[in-house]
Amino acid sequence: MSVLLLTRRLRPMDLYAVDAVLAIVTGAMLCAYAALESPLDGSVVEPVWVSVLTGAVIGLPVAVRRRFPAGVAVTVSLAATIALATGVIPNYAAAGPSVSLALAFYTLAVATPLRWSLPVAAGCLAAVVTALAMTGGDLWSTTGAVVYGMVMTAPGWLIGWTVRERRALAARQSEQLTRQAVAEERLRIARELHDIVAHTMSLIVVKAAVGNHVAESSPQEARDALRVIEATGRGALLEMRRALGMLRDETPYAPAPGLADLDALAGQASHGDVDVRIEVTGPAPREEVPESVGLAAYRIVQEALTNVVKHAAPATCRVSVTIGPGEVRVDVTDDGRRPVRTPGTGHGLIGMRERVASHGGEFSAGPRDGGGFSVSARLPYAPVGAPA
């Protein structure tokens, strides 16, 4: 049973049970015993029932210290002050009530804000120290009694205040980490939605323009364009449901796209007058690539092809994916002749750069000397069986 209490987080009922045991120990064994001590000056000893009542009043409130921290601190301090001032508990036996005072002051500091706990603790401590000083025979004994009272009671409050501050700091750090995780998750989902929407809408706009242009002269070609728009839209809806489904733990969703789905991207880009040639090579098998790295490579190729469809079609595009034992290299080049924007601008290139940076890789993009545009990315990962 004792091992179980030490290895798991205590429940409220467990804590109250511990406090009840402490109250019995401090009240019956310490405070009552201290009250039964005979004074050194040979004065009359109080009746036993007074000693027992004194021990109960000082010690038993500890059982409810978590529920009424300020009330328990005041009650224990007042009872200890009266007992010490009247001599029911001799000053040399003050160690008994000091245990109850330390427990009460600790809980007061832990459970109460500083603006309330500090004045209450200071007032209670002043009363107890004054009672000890009144029982001192000379200056030396009076000074010793005051120092003794402070040493036996003040550390309890200081420890409790320290624990409260550390808990508050831990709570603030946990809240900050939670906000950071939420912000990162929002950024990740926004990146996913941007890649999905930008790719599909670009293709839909291209095919809609084609369909509108040939609607009267070539109805069959217009219907083909509508079929591409329908298929692309359905695929985009499925991907958006999968991305948004990650926000709900109870919602099942399809696996994220990866290197095995690159051929589908080539087929979609071909509808936008881009001849795509995809080549996946390397000594390592695709199965060893982590899902997050495969998704990043897929999104980089998807965004690069989207830019080709939007800015360079008709064009020929070459996609080279090399899977190494510890990295995936992605190179996308095209021979488009349309003017392109300055490298590094636009949400697409920013999103690709962020994806690569999140994996600790390298990214570059810019116009080619012979015309066209190139995108290169290196995505490192830990090979299977590598030490953590």
Side-chain angles (χ1 to χ4, degrees):
M1 180 64 178
S2 60
V3 176
L4 182 60
L5 290 176
L6 292 175
T7 56
R8 68 173 175 84
R9 185 179 181 87
L10 295 180
R11 299 170 299 178
M13 292 302 299
D14 298 330
L15 295 175
Y16 282 121
V18 172
D19 289 343
V21 174
L22 291 175
I24 295 173
V25 171
T26 57
M29 298 182 62
L30 297 177
C31 298
Y33 176 78
L36 289 171
E37 283 288 317
S38 299
L40 294 177
D41 58 3
S43 59
V44 180
V45 180
E46 72 278 354
V48 175
W49 67 268
V50 176
S51 299
V52 174
L53 179 61
T54 301
V57 175
I58 296 176
L60 294 184
V62 172
V64 292
R65 63 191 177 106
R66 301 180 192 275
R67 190 172 181 85
F68 308 104
V72 169
V74 172
T75 301
V76 172
S77 300
L78 183 61
T81 300
I82 295 174
L84 291 170
T86 58
V88 175
I89 297 180
N91 58 358
Y92 62 83
S98 67
V99 176
S100 294
L101 287 169
L103 292 173
F105 285 2
Y106 169 83
T107 308
L108 175 68
V110 168
T112 311
L114 180 64
R115 65 179 182 274
W116 297 109
S117 68
L118 183 58
V120 173
C124 294
L125 183 59
V128 175
V129 171
T130 301
L132 286 171
M134 291 171 57
T135 60
D138 51 26
L139 180 61
W140 178 255
S141 60
T142 298
T143 304
V146 171
V147 173
Y148 175 79
M150 295 185 66
V151 169
M152 293 297 291
T153 55
W157 184 89
L158 291 175
I159 295 174
W161 175 78
T162 303
V163 171
R164 179 181 177 87
E165 290 298 308
R166 290 181 65 87
R167 289 177 179 175
L169 177 61
R172 290 193 295 269
Q173 290 176 342
S174 177
E175 183 180 357
Q176 182 179 359
L177 290 175
T178 300
R179 289 198 299 266
Q180 182 179 354
V182 171
E184 291 176 354
E185 183 67 9
R186 287 176 176 173
L187 177 61
R188 185 189 63 80
I189 293 177
R191 210 156 40 210
E192 288 288 304
L193 293 178
H194 170 270
D195 292 344
I196 295 170
V197 173
H199 176 74
T200 55
M201 291 303 296
S202 298
L203 187 58
I204 287 174
V205 169
V206 170
K207 298 309 293 184
V210 172
N212 182 58
H213 181 70
V214 299
E216 296 182 359
S217 60
S218 180
Q220 181 60 40
E221 188 174 351
R223 283 193 293 269
D224 293 339
L226 291 175
R227 279 194 291 269
V228 172
I229 293 174
E230 179 185 8
T232 304
R234 290 182 184 276
L237 287 176
L238 289 175
E239 286 204 67
M240 291 179 65
R241 290 194 188 102
R242 181 196 61 79
L244 296 177
M246 295 179 185
L247 298 175
R248 306 181 180 90
D249 293 338
E250 71 277 5
T251 303
Y253 53 86
L259 299 178
D261 303 291
L262 293 178
D263 292 337
L265 289 179
Q268 293 175 0
S270 64
H271 296 304
D273 292 334
V274 176
D275 181 16
V276 181
R277 303 171 186 176
I278 294 182
E279 182 180 8
V280 180
T281 60
R286 298 185 184 184
E287 292 75 14
E288 291 188 3
V289 178
E291 181 180 359
S292 60
V293 176
L295 175 61
Y298 176 89
R299 293 302 186 199
I300 290 171
V301 174
Q302 183 184 50
E303 182 61 32
L305 292 179
T306 300
N307 289 337
V308 175
V309 171
K310 290 168 59 176
H311 304 294
T316 299
C317 182
R318 182 177 182 273
V319 178
S320 175
V321 179
T322 305
I323 305 175
E327 66 177 19
V328 173
R329 298 192 64 90
V330 178
D331 294 288
V332 182
T333 58
D334 67 81
D335 59 359
R337 298 296 177 179
R338 295 185 184 182
V340 296
R341 292 179 294 179
T342 303
T345 63
H347 293 291
L349 293 178
I350 294 175
M352 286 190 282
R353 194 178 303 277
E354 289 176 347
R355 286 186 182 276
V356 175
S358 66
H359 290 85
E362 300 173 357
F363 177 81
S364 62
R368 300 170 60 198
D369 293 337
F373 202 82
S374 68
V375 172
S376 297
R378 185 181 68 87
L379 300 167
Y381 66 91
V384 177

